[in-house]
Amino acid sequence: MNTNRFSVNKQQSDIDTGRRSFLKVTAAGTAGLTLGISLSTSAQAQAAATSVADTALEYNAFVSITPENVVRIYIKHLEMGQGVYTGLATCVAEELDADWQQVVCEHAPVDTAKYANLLMGQQGTGGSTAMANSFMQLRRAGAAAKAMLVNAAAQRWQVPADEISVHEGVVSHGAHRATFGELAVDAARQTPPAADTLVLKTPDQFRLIGSETTLRKDTGKQDGTAIYTQDVQLPGMLTAVVAHAPRFGARVRSFDASAALARKGVRQVFEIDTGIAVVADDYWSATKGRELLQIEWDDSSAETRSSATLLEQYRSLVETEGAVAEQHGNAVGTLADASDKLELVFEFPYLAHAQMEPVNCVAQVSGHSAELWYGCQSATGDQSAVAQLLGIRPQDVRINTVFAGGGFGRRANPKADYVLETVRIARQLPDTPVKLVWSREDDMQGGFYRPAYAHKLSAALNDQGRPSAFQARIAGQSIMAGTSMAAMMVNNGIDNTSVEGLTEFSYDVPERQVELHTTDVGIPVQWWRSVGNTHTAFSKEVFIDALARKAGVDPVEYRLSLLTSNPRETAVLKLAAEKAGWGTRELPAGWGRGVAVHTSFGSTVAEIAEVSVEGNKFKVERVVAAIDCGIAVNPDVVRAQVEGAIAYGLSAALQDELTLTDGVVDQSNFHNYQVLRMNAMPVVETHILPSTNAPSGVGEPGTPPIAPAVANALADATRQRLTRLPLRLA
Amino acid sequence: MPYTLTINGQQHELDVDGDMPLLWAVRDHLHFTGTKFGCGMAQCGACTLHIDGVATRSCVLPVADAVGKAITTIEGLATPAAKAVQSAWVELQVPQCGYCQSGQVMSAAALLEQNNAPTDADIDAAMSGNICRCGTYPRIKAGIKMAASQVRNAGGAA
Ligand code: FES
Ligand code: FES
């Protein structure tokens, strides 16, 4: 999702602090958002429950302070490793002038009115928007809470509020001194300040924003105490697995559960929309029961094509005219008349997300309400989907969000697939918590992949080897079609996520045309870290590199000459080139160096990859990245995201590939869907461009440039121009 | 049938099938949820725990085969090398989503018990069975080196 497709709703951006006009004291154990966790038997959850038993005083939707001097910050986005606990808490703590040590984070409940993503208009995490939409909102929330503390101190000490200072969790005036905790009760009684009275810090006053010393707030990950969906334990909870059809779109014709039901530990077996559910005392019994099922599938409406067949069809499609997604000038005419041209055809396979924690969810349905526990990414969407399924009100669907073991897009399913599957099972067992667990095989073969695509890129070249016209044709499935986001993301039959990255072309080419063939295939598809940019950045950056080589110009110089009206990409590219020693540092014999630059989710990233090649084998040795993401709220989190985004994209560049034969997925687990392991991980250096602009995305923008940078490095080393992912040298 | 397992120095009785993988006995029956499930076929390392000090994939080890052995889960890690790994993990801010990290820490701790000066190649060899989809590999490597030097300075482990 490209952030600039969403418009900021001004009114919503002001909901932050002014919204709360009354004091709400949350009594021990009744806080909705902690109830679920307090049922858990895990050590961490018990600790959490105990600490929340202190009276929490809510200052606004995002901040509460306890008399025990704990600042609790409610995080409206899902923490799935991208660092939102840390980043969002930093914004609040900065303006609150809290001591970082006293800050704890907690996922906010699902409450769209309070916690909407201001760039989406609904509560949810995605499109690398967490920081971009929250930066001002959370700073105001922190500033408002601070004003309440100051006013309480002014009253208590009978001194003017504007003479009071606040520093690292201590409020002081002359000889007076009080911790936040000491003022917590009085401060919570203060009227929240009007939004227009808040004075925020200027960047030179930042103490936490930009700091290199703030440690992450998503703790407990080095000692096993962090709680994920898989770890949720509730009294009387049962575990469910589902036997899905081998082909997408197939239905159950008949099944025999007698052997499964006879298996120790198996409680119930029944048919649901998506297959046959086996509910048991534990996961092992459930899977053993599932193995004993006899199921006959009805394939009459199933997708039975092979991925190779589809890609062959896509390669023919890109030779034909598609629906026009973007048009500047008469690129088609200029190309037809051109005496010098370059054309390249690209191919991309289906990809599984393969996040470490396979899909799972816990739900309990009781009367006219439901409660869920999971790493909830599409909060509003999931809540309304569950409400609709059960015929109840959205506010009667209570969602308790826990950490997610990775997401990369998979957990934000536009159809709430795994959430609804869980609820379909749980509704058959009223008042019983049910944990749905997908095995790795279920996860890998369960669909919702990055779609396969073919591209054809063409350029007409002038006598200096510069492109005068550019055309891109793309063929593949639409991610947004049929989802609730189609209205926003699909215009005149063009799904923006199929073409983003090739539209709004960053290079100076006077005439451009982007065309799309949207294919109709029954394989469920979904966004995958950086969405359309996963493929468009590859073809764009490999193509530009090929143009540079054809013109005999250095690939960095060539790009810079086409980026004269794009100062941001110019600056980032120059920074990466300088840090990598481009043109100055000699590489060992047999090595190659390649570059790519791309802007997505509001941020620009350039990456330079160095590869060593031996025969048809190669290793990516080193990657130097430069990023402009506006203000880097937590530079270490930014670097971690760039490192991770590179690893994720590199995995796809080197080996990830999901194929189907006659509609059946060929891969099932990490033995035949190989992902990046430590021995293939390069050294990564990340450089952040200093900036005073508002923060933009960091979770995804590091992924798009890596595959083209590596392909371009291989072209440098071997002269082989690879245009198909994953990359294979001849 | 009933089995007695020795986990983190304590005896636990449980009544499960002997072919149940230790992972599920530990997670679903004894509620040690620090040990994670990632693949169920010894491919990802998320379920790594120590059996008599050796890093072992618990998703493919039947409960019956774990009887009489000293099982250590992430909850029971206590050696100086293990503690050094955990503090390096915090200092270098290694985890992202964290789901793989119990397994990473268990593999790293077992490595340092054997080798307190691992080279890059040693680390690759010991750690390439542990997948991290968040791509924390560079920090894991740096964390192991940091922990190793701490162990050496304290004069501990091999
Ligand atoms: S769960 Fe055991 S190795 Fe993956
Ligand atoms: S930290 Fe997420 S898989 Fe390793």
Side-chain angles (χ1 to χ4, degrees):
Chain A
M1 287 156 277
N2 218 323
T3 52
N4 56 23
R5 285 277 158 164
F6 301 102
S7 59
V8 180
N9 181 327
K10 181 67 181 78
Q11 256 173 339
Q12 251 162 345
S13 73
D14 285 331
I15 62 166
D16 49 18
T17 52
R19 171 164 290 276
R20 278 195 38 79
S21 54
F22 60 95
L23 169 67
K24 179 171 150 229
V25 179
T26 311
T30 61
L33 62 143
T34 59
L35 185 65
I37 277 190
S38 66
L39 289 172
S40 164
T41 57
S42 77
Q44 193 215 27
Q46 297 236 331
T50 322
S51 65
V52 176
D54 312 332
T55 305
L57 298 165
E58 289 189 5
Y59 285 60
N60 52 54
F62 300 100
V63 186
S64 77
I65 303 175
T66 71
E68 292 71 26
N69 205 27
V70 173
V71 172
R72 182 166 289 111
I73 297 176
Y74 301 108
I75 304 298
K76 68 177 184 175
H77 291 289
L78 171 65
E79 177 56 81
M80 47 190 162
Q82 83 282 41
V84 288
Y85 263 38
T86 315
L88 301 186
T90 299
C91 299
V92 175
E94 177 68 71
E95 299 290 348
L96 180 58
D97 275 313
D99 179 354
W100 189 242
Q101 305 283 342
Q102 74 184 143
V103 171
V104 299
C105 296
E106 190 169 294
H107 279 119
V110 176
D111 182 341
T112 306
K114 276 185 180 172
Y115 298 114
N117 181 326
L118 303 178
L119 292 169
M120 293 180 172
Q122 47 176 266
Q123 192 173 342
T125 306
S128 295
T129 57
M131 181 56 74
N133 93 92
S134 305
F135 185 63
M136 294 308 290
Q137 180 184 41
L138 292 184
R139 288 176 61 201
R140 286 199 207 105
K146 176 167 127 177
M148 291 161 77
L149 288 162
V150 166
N151 289 343
Q155 268 176 15
R156 187 180 291 181
W157 299 331
Q158 292 297 305
V159 300
D162 59 8
E163 289 177 7
I164 288 176
S165 64
V166 184
H167 185 66
E168 292 187 12
V170 176
V171 184
S172 57
H173 181 277
H176 296 295
R177 204 183 158 281
T179 64
F180 286 3
E182 286 161 355
L183 290 164
V185 174
D186 286 354
R189 294 204 178 100
Q190 299 290 322
T191 307
D196 58 4
T197 65
L198 296 174
V199 182
L200 298 185
K201 292 183 181 176
T202 51
D204 58 299
Q205 295 171 314
F206 288 159
R207 192 174 48 82
L208 294 173
I209 292 175
S211 162
E212 289 284 358
T213 55
T214 47
L215 289 182
R216 287 178 75 118
K217 289 294 178 191
D218 50 336
T219 53
K221 294 178 172 181
Q222 83 290 353
D223 62 11
T225 56
I227 297 295
Y228 303 83
T229 311
Q230 194 79 31
D231 308 328
V232 171
Q233 315 259 347
L234 299 165
M237 187 179 78
L238 299 175
T239 300
V241 300
V242 176
H244 296 125
R247 291 189 173 84
F248 298 110
R251 314 278 310 176
V252 176
R253 177 172 292 145
S254 63
F255 73 103
D256 176 359
S258 48
L261 283 165
R263 213 264 172 202
K264 186 176 142 221
V266 173
R267 298 288 192 97
Q268 291 200 36
V269 177
F270 48 84
E271 183 177 347
I272 55 171
D273 265 35
T274 50
I276 306 295
V278 179
V279 186
D281 292 336
D282 56 42
Y283 175 76
W284 184 247
S285 307
T287 51
K288 285 288 156 190
R290 177 167 68 173
E291 285 169 17
L292 297 168
L293 289 173
Q294 308 282 336
I295 309 172
E296 244 202 276
W297 300 101
D298 172 1
D299 274 346
S300 55
S301 52
E303 176 58 74
T304 58
R305 283 175 285 180
S306 299
S307 47
T309 313
L310 291 169
L311 275 163
E312 199 183 306
Q313 185 203 337
Y314 294 2
R315 282 195 303 271
S316 325
L317 273 176
V318 295
E319 298 299 334
T320 65
E321 198 184 322
V324 176
E326 193 184 71
Q327 190 171 27
H328 300 275
N330 180 17
V332 176
T334 305
L335 270 159
D337 298 340
S339 54
D340 194 10
K341 279 205 278 195
L342 183 73
E343 295 183 346
L344 288 176
V345 174
F346 298 83
E347 240 182 82
F348 305 87
Y350 285 102
L351 294 174
H353 299 81
Q355 72 289 346
M356 274 320 289
E357 182 183 23
V359 159
N360 49 17
C361 179
V362 181
Q364 176 171 342
V365 177
S366 316
H368 289 283
S369 68
E371 184 160 6
L372 292 90
W373 298 258
Y374 66 110
C376 171
Q377 191 174 349
S378 285
T380 304
D382 287 358
Q383 187 185 48
S384 49
V386 171
Q388 203 182 346
L389 176 72
L390 295 175
I392 61 177
R393 303 178 310 167
Q395 59 267 43
D396 293 326
V397 177
R398 173 180 284 171
I399 296 178
N400 307 279
T401 303
V402 297
F403 289 149
F408 315 120
R410 180 62 183 93
R411 281 201 167 268
N413 186 276
K415 296 179 176 150
D417 71 318
Y418 63 95
V419 179
L420 292 183
E421 184 167 87
T422 311
V423 173
R424 285 192 167 101
I425 299 167
R427 74 192 298 189
Q428 305 282 336
L429 298 124
D431 304 315
T432 307
V434 176
K435 182 194 288 181
L436 171 74
V437 178
W438 281 21
S439 66
R440 176 58 59 191
E441 290 80 5
D442 296 330
D443 192 281
M444 198 160 279
Q445 304 190 320
F448 298 104
Y449 307 122
R450 196 291 300 271
Y453 292 97
H455 297 185
K456 181 178 182 183
L457 270 51
S458 316
L461 300 166
N462 66 18
D463 42 14
Q464 287 104 53
R466 287 171 63 95
S468 51
F470 170 77
Q471 183 185 27
R473 282 193 183 135
I474 300 166
Q477 287 171 259
S478 163
I479 292 170
M480 296 291 174
T483 73
S484 61
M485 293 169 87
M488 184 165 36
M489 302 297 286
V490 182
N491 296 306
N492 302 324
I494 305 289
D495 178 346
N496 180 55
T497 70
S498 301
V499 294
E500 60 179 350
L502 280 167
T503 52
E504 295 172 39
F505 205 59
S506 51
Y507 295 106
D508 250 329
V509 184
E511 300 191 297
R512 304 193 304 276
Q513 179 145 325
V514 178
E515 297 169 25
L516 175 66
H517 291 276
T518 300
T519 59
D520 189 10
V521 180
I523 297 166
V525 294
Q526 198 178 330
W527 36 70
W528 188 100
R529 196 174 193 167
S530 80
V531 200
N533 304 287
T534 58
H535 51 106
T536 57
F538 182 78
S539 61
K540 175 183 71 110
E541 286 300 301
V542 168
F543 191 70
I544 284 288
D545 215 73
L547 291 178
R549 291 205 180 268
K550 187 167 157 46
V553 180
D554 172 86
V556 169
E557 289 309 317
Y558 190 82
R559 282 175 174 79
L560 290 173
S561 74
L562 292 172
L563 288 171
T564 48
S565 53
N566 191 327
R568 200 168 183 214
E569 288 201 353
T570 297
V572 173
L573 182 56
K574 280 185 170 167
L575 178 62
E578 176 209 318
K579 297 291 183 186
W582 185 277
T584 56
R585 217 178 108 254
E586 280 281 314
L587 289 181
W591 287 37
R593 180 150 50 196
V595 62
V597 59
H598 193 71
T599 300
S600 58
F601 311 96
S603 295
T604 299
V605 180
E607 286 164 18
I608 290 172
E610 293 171 8
V611 299
S612 60
V613 181
E614 258 191 63
N616 63 359
K617 299 244 175 301
F618 65 94
K619 180 167 194 289
V620 182
E621 302 281 355
R622 175 174 181 243
V623 178
V624 176
I627 180 170
D628 178 354
C629 58
I631 292 170
V633 173
N634 302 97
D636 193 57
V637 171
V638 172
R639 285 191 293 270
Q641 282 307 292
V642 172
E643 290 159 18
I646 287 171
Y648 200 71
L650 188 57
S651 193
L654 299 182
Q655 54 216 0
D656 301 3
E657 179 171 23
L658 190 119
T659 57
L660 301 95
T661 303
D662 301 330
V664 179
V665 177
D666 297 317
Q667 293 74 25
S668 56
N669 205 318
F670 291 120
H671 66 297
N672 54 11
Y673 189 88
Q674 291 283 341
V675 297
L676 189 83
R677 292 173 183 271
M678 183 180 273
N679 54 3
M681 184 73 198
V683 172
V684 177
E685 251 178 57
T686 304
H687 302 276
I688 302 172
L689 203 87
S691 173
T692 51
N693 294 327
S696 43
V698 292
E700 296 170 273
T703 295
I706 187 61
V710 172
N712 294 339
L714 290 171
D716 182 43
T718 68
R719 306 292 144 197
Q720 291 184 46
R721 180 55 69 188
L722 303 182
T723 58
R724 184 188 184 283
L725 288 176
L727 302 167
R728 300 262 181 272
L729 283 175
Chain B
M1 65 176 267
Y3 293 93
T4 303
L5 297 178
T6 309
I7 301 176
N8 303 331
Q10 300 234 312
Q11 306 236 309
H12 296 266
E13 305 273 335
L14 74 171
D15 187 4
V16 296
D17 291 348
D19 68 347
M20 176 184 280
L22 180 60
L23 171 65
W24 297 109
V26 161
R27 286 186 57 85
D28 282 357
H29 290 265
L30 302 173
H31 305 306
F32 290 104
T33 55
T35 309
K36 300 297 190 243
F37 164 61
C39 71
M41 60 178 298
Q43 289 292 319
C44 77
C47 65
T48 306
L49 40 66
H50 296 173
I51 305 274
D52 293 336
V54 178
T56 305
R57 310 295 184 225
S58 64
C59 66
V60 292
L61 183 77
V63 162
D65 293 355
V67 172
K69 311 256 168 77
I71 301 163
T72 307
T73 67
I74 183 94
E75 290 88 352
L77 267 190
T79 65
K83 292 287 162 201
V85 168
Q86 288 177 314
S87 57
W89 252 234
V90 172
E91 190 162 343
L92 297 180
Q93 299 281 277
V94 172
Q96 290 186 26
C97 85
Y99 194 79
C100 74
Q101 297 295 343
S102 295
Q104 306 281 4
V105 166
M106 297 306 283
S107 292
L111 167 65
L112 290 191
E113 298 291 350
Q114 305 298 316
N115 178 354
N116 68 15
T119 61
D120 281 0
D122 294 337
I123 296 173
D124 283 351
M127 301 302 295
S128 286
N130 288 79
I131 294 171
C132 176
R133 288 291 282 156
C134 296
T136 64
Y137 300 125
R139 292 179 188 226
I140 290 172
K141 192 169 271 183
I144 290 174
K145 289 180 180 172
M146 176 184 273
S149 80
Q150 209 179 314
V151 169
R152 288 195 304 273
N153 290 341

